[in-house]
Amino acid sequence: MLEKFPPLRAAAVALALVATTAAWAQDRVLNLYSARHYQTDEALYANFTKATGIRINRVEADDAGILSRLKAEGAASPADVVLLVDAARLWRAEQDGLFQPVKSAVLEQRIPPQLRGGETAQGAQWFGVSTRARVLVIDKARLKPTDVDRYEKLSSPALKGQICSRSGSHPYNLSLFGSVLETAGTAATEAWIRGVAANLARDPKGGDTDQIRAVAAGECAVAITNTYYYARLMRSNRPEDKAVVERTQVVFPNQADRGTHVNVSGAAVARHARNRDAAVAFLEYLASDAAQRMLADGNNEYPVVASARTENPALLALGRFKAETVPIAKVGANTAQVQQMLDRAGFK
Ligand code: FE2
C-alpha cells in the first residue's frame, strides 16, 4: 500500500516503477508551471528532488499568465506539470486542451472523484491537491450566524446594502455561483445573483481580505471569502489583524443541507509534457500524506486526501465542517453560464 510508506519512500517507489523507460534516464528536470507561490512549497519540491533526483524547474505566474503562456507556446511548450488555484481556471485550461489525461491507481485511490477534472477513458484531466472553503464572515455586532447560514440568504432583502464581495466575475465567485447553479437550477440562480448584487454595500473592489477588513471597519455586515484569507488573519500577530478577527466570525453556509462550497488548487500533466512519467510521479507525490500537509498548510488550506491531517492551528480553530460533494468539474463547467447571469445582473 503506497500510502503507508513515508513520503520519500513513496516517491522512490514511484520512481522505481518508471525507471526503466529510456526517457527517464535522460530527463532529470521537471518543468513546473505554478500559480502557487508560497514559501512552504519550496520544502515540498526539495523533498521530491531528494527522493527522486529530479530537479524542479519552476515557472511562476498567476493563473491567467500560465494559461496564456501555455497557449502561446503550443506544442513547443516545455511545461510538464501545471498547478492552478481554482476550478473555473482548471476547467478553462481543460477546455482549451492544455492538459492530458492521467490514469494512475494512486491518484484514483487517494483523490476523491468529486475533486478531479473531466474523466476520460485515459483518466482524469486534472486532480485537486488542496481545498479551500468559500465562507461568509460576519460582523458579530450586526448579524447572527443564522442570518447567513445558507448562501441563498445572501439575496434576502434584509441584507440590503450589507454585503461586501470582490468582483462577481472573479473565478472564486464564478465557482461559488456555479455550485449554486448546480443545485438551484437556472431561474432560481439568476434571481439569486440579482438579489446578491442588489445587496452589495459598495461596488466590488479588492480581494477577499479587503472584504473582511471592510466588515471589521463597519462598511458592511458580511463578506464572502475563502477560508485561507481569514486563517491568515487569525495567525497574524499584527494588532490590526487581531482586531479584525476579534470583531468578526466565520460562518460555514449550508451545513444543514448540501454543505459549504469548496474550491480546489489542482495539478495536471501538460498536454505536450516531455517528461510524462516524471510528471505523473510528481502528481502521485503531491498526493502523499506528507506532501498533502505541506501543500495545505503552506496556504492555510485543507488536504484532499482523507488520511492527511492538518495541524494548522487556525483551521483547527475554525473546526470541522460539511463540504459540498458536487463534482468540482461540473462547477467549473457552469461558470460560463454564470458569467452571462452576472452581466445581466450588472454584478461586475
Ligand atoms: Fe486566493
Side-chain angles (χ1 to χ4, degrees):
M1 294 286 287
L2 204 52
E3 80 271 21
K4 286 193 180 150
F5 293 151
L8 299 186
R9 180 93 184 277
V13 168
L15 171 66
L17 293 177
V18 292
T20 48
T21 65
W24 187 267
Q26 293 156 10
D27 299 311
R28 307 298 290 174
V29 175
L30 189 68
N31 289 314
L32 171 65
Y33 282 22
S34 176
R36 292 176 57 95
H37 23 78
Y38 313 116
Q39 246 173 8
T40 43
D41 283 2
E42 303 290 337
L44 181 74
Y45 305 141
N47 279 358
F48 178 75
T49 302
K50 220 189 285 172
T52 62
I54 301 166
R55 245 184 343 104
I56 291 180
N57 179 27
R58 191 151 33 120
V59 171
E60 281 191 356
D62 61 11
D63 295 79
I66 287 175
L67 297 191
S68 56
R69 182 162 176 165
L70 285 169
K71 268 186 237 171
E73 290 171 345
S77 176
D80 295 309
V81 171
V82 182
L83 271 171
L84 299 175
V85 293
D86 165 77
R89 288 137 162 173
L90 286 159
W91 175 79
R92 177 40 57 204
E94 183 184 313
Q95 292 305 300
D96 291 347
L98 301 176
F99 300 155
Q100 59 173 290
V102 169
K103 209 159 187 63
S104 152
V106 172
L107 295 174
E108 273 161 41
Q109 191 206 339
R110 292 180 65 82
I111 314 272
Q114 73 268 21
L115 300 179
R116 300 178 203 156
E119 297 277 357
T120 71
Q122 288 76 43
Q125 295 269 359
W126 51 263
F127 295 85
V129 294
S130 62
T131 64
R132 58 281 293 280
R134 195 135 182 85
V135 295
L136 303 173
V137 168
I138 58 169
D139 179 345
K140 289 191 283 191
R142 288 173 66 182
L143 292 179
K144 298 186 299 296
T146 49
D147 292 329
V148 289
D149 57 7
R150 304 188 72 225
Y151 293 114
E152 285 77 355
K153 289 188 178 177
L154 290 176
S155 65
S156 157
L159 292 178
K160 183 127 194 107
Q162 301 204 51
I163 301 175
C164 274
S165 171
R166 75 193 308 162
S167 166
S169 56
H170 186 279
Y172 299 161
N173 278 339
L174 289 178
S175 294
L176 167 62
F177 302 160
S179 131
V180 172
L181 175 57
E182 194 57 32
T183 36
T186 311
T189 303
E190 177 136 17
W192 175 73
I193 284 176
R194 271 184 208 284
V196 177
N199 284 343
L200 292 176
R202 58 182 192 182
D203 285 340
K205 61 174 177 188
D208 286 353
T209 305
D210 298 306
Q211 317 312 319
I212 300 169
R213 291 192 194 286
V215 169
E219 232 184 301
C220 32
V222 55
I224 306 171
T225 180
N226 285 352
T227 32
Y228 56 84
Y229 293 110
Y230 194 82
R232 212 177 278 166
L233 293 172
M234 288 173 82
R235 298 182 75 178
S236 166
N237 288 321
R238 295 166 59 193
E240 58 269 39
D241 294 339
K242 286 181 184 296
V244 167
V245 171
E246 186 55 37
R247 180 162 170 171
T248 57
Q249 181 181 343
V250 168
V251 179
F252 286 91
N254 299 75
Q255 291 303 285
D257 47 271
R258 66 181 182 275
T260 298
H261 168 61
V262 292
N263 207 330
V264 291
S265 176
V269 175
R271 166 81 170 273
H272 302 289
R274 286 170 181 75
N275 306 306
R276 191 176 191 283
D277 293 338
V280 174
F282 183 69
L283 261 55
E284 291 177 346
Y285 163 76
L286 292 182
S288 67
D289 280 4
Q292 277 287 297
R293 254 197 313 278
M294 278 192 247
L295 260 167
D297 282 350
N299 187 34
N300 298 304
E301 291 176 274
Y302 301 96
V304 294
V305 172
S307 57
R309 292 270 170 260
T310 177
E311 282 152 33
N312 185 310
L315 297 186
L316 290 175
L318 287 178
R320 295 175 68 83
F321 66 96
K322 179 181 175 186
E324 69 182 1
T325 53
V326 51
I328 193 73
K330 278 197 173 170
V331 167
N334 282 349
T335 55
Q337 199 185 343
V338 163
Q339 182 59 60
Q340 293 170 1
M341 294 179 182
L342 290 165
D343 292 343
R344 286 192 289 268
F347 190 164
K348 295 226 170 24

